[in-house]
Amino acid sequence: MKKKKWYVVWKGRSPGIYETWAECEKQVKGYQGARYKSYPSLQEAKAEYKQGYQSPNSSGLVKRSTTTISPIEESVSVDAGTHGNPGPVEYQGVYTKDGKLLFKKEAYPLGTNNMAEFLAIVHAFKFLHNNKMNVPVYTDSQTAMGWVKAKKAKATLVRNEKSVAIWDDVQEAEQWLRDHNPSFTLLKWDTKAWGEIKADYGRK
């Protein structure tokens, strides 16, 4: 039995989300410059439709179109706060709609911003998994997104007495990603368009 797909049409006769290819085809066939894509779940289709069409740039990385209007309110936003980089570092996650604190990690004695951003994303995934929720997660760290995708944090921080705590948590997070292979939607926060991410510590 074929798996169910949802079709997003950003540019076509009638942009929207369609349940079948036949419906999608009517909107894009013969339409010059049509933009559309299929997704395995309605949740992901809705998130991507709202975010706008994605097209690869010359480096092969995905770049969001300028049609992005606003972040998805029903989501989790995460961010790290540092005192020096490397230095003491902490992270937190909030409900994007109203900024309500969902989780907070007290400061590690020594770590880097990227390591904490990575841990924040994985913590958000664990939070969603444990609470049986399925909403997007926002981060403003492209590096941490890459580490999560690879299930490996490519940090260069020397492991010593001060950094052992964050390193232990990073390795545990890597293992959790490998064991659970989460399929939650991870999105890049558009700081230029929306301002600082909702979980920001306000230390800039």
Side-chain angles (χ1 to χ4, degrees):
M1 185 177 178
K2 290 182 67 175
K3 290 185 178 180
K4 173 73 175 178
K5 287 185 178 181
W6 298 85
Y7 299 86
V8 173
V9 176
W10 291 277
K11 189 174 181 182
R13 294 180 179 85
S14 181
I17 300 173
Y18 296 89
E19 291 190 48
T20 67
W21 166 242
E23 292 175 308
C24 175
E25 187 179 29
K26 290 178 183 177
Q27 311 308 320
V28 301
K29 189 174 181 179
Y31 190 96
Q32 187 174 4
R35 297 288 184 269
Y36 58 97
K37 188 176 179 182
S38 66
Y39 293 94
S41 71
L42 179 58
Q43 176 73 24
E44 189 172 356
K46 285 181 177 179
E48 294 300 320
Y49 179 63
K50 189 164 186 177
Q51 285 297 306
Y53 177 69
Q54 305 175 68
S55 59
N57 60 23
S58 58
S59 67
L61 298 176
V62 165
K63 182 179 181 181
R64 295 221 178 261
S65 74
T66 55
T67 57
T68 302
I69 299 174
S70 61
I72 300 168
E73 291 189 335
E74 300 292 335
S75 62
V76 175
S77 293
V78 301
D79 199 22
T82 61
H83 296 277
N85 191 27
V89 61
E90 59 194 311
Y91 68 78
Q92 61 186 3
V94 306
Y95 183 48
T96 304
K97 186 175 184 178
D98 58 11
K100 178 183 177 182
L101 184 67
L102 300 177
F103 57 83
K104 181 180 180 70
K105 179 68 178 180
E106 297 304 321
Y108 294 97
L110 182 66
T112 68
N113 186 72
N114 285 333
M115 293 171 82
E117 297 274 12
F118 169 77
L119 288 171
I121 295 170
V122 178
H123 196 140
F125 285 178
K126 289 180 179 180
F127 177 86
L128 296 177
H129 175 80
N130 292 337
N131 288 279
K132 294 181 172 56
M133 297 170 62
N134 189 8
V135 298
V137 174
Y138 279 107
T139 176
D140 60 10
S141 173
Q142 193 71 52
T143 297
M145 291 180 76
W147 290 2
V148 168
K149 184 177 180 179
K151 300 180 176 63
K152 180 69 177 177
K154 299 177 182 178
T156 58
L157 182 69
V158 174
R159 187 180 184 118
N160 56 33
E161 287 185 3
K162 280 192 170 183
S163 64
V164 65
I166 195 168
W167 265 119
D168 283 349
D169 282 359
V170 164
Q171 290 174 339
E172 182 182 319
E174 291 172 340
Q175 189 61 53
W176 188 89
L177 289 173
R178 290 192 291 268
D179 290 344
H180 292 81
N181 194 29
S183 58
F184 299 113
T185 301
L186 180 60
L187 301 173
K188 179 71 167 61
W189 182 267
D190 189 345
T191 304
K192 186 175 181 180
W194 307 331
E196 295 298 339
I197 194 166
K198 296 297 184 180
D200 182 65
Y201 282 83
R203 294 173 182 166
K204 297 176 180 65

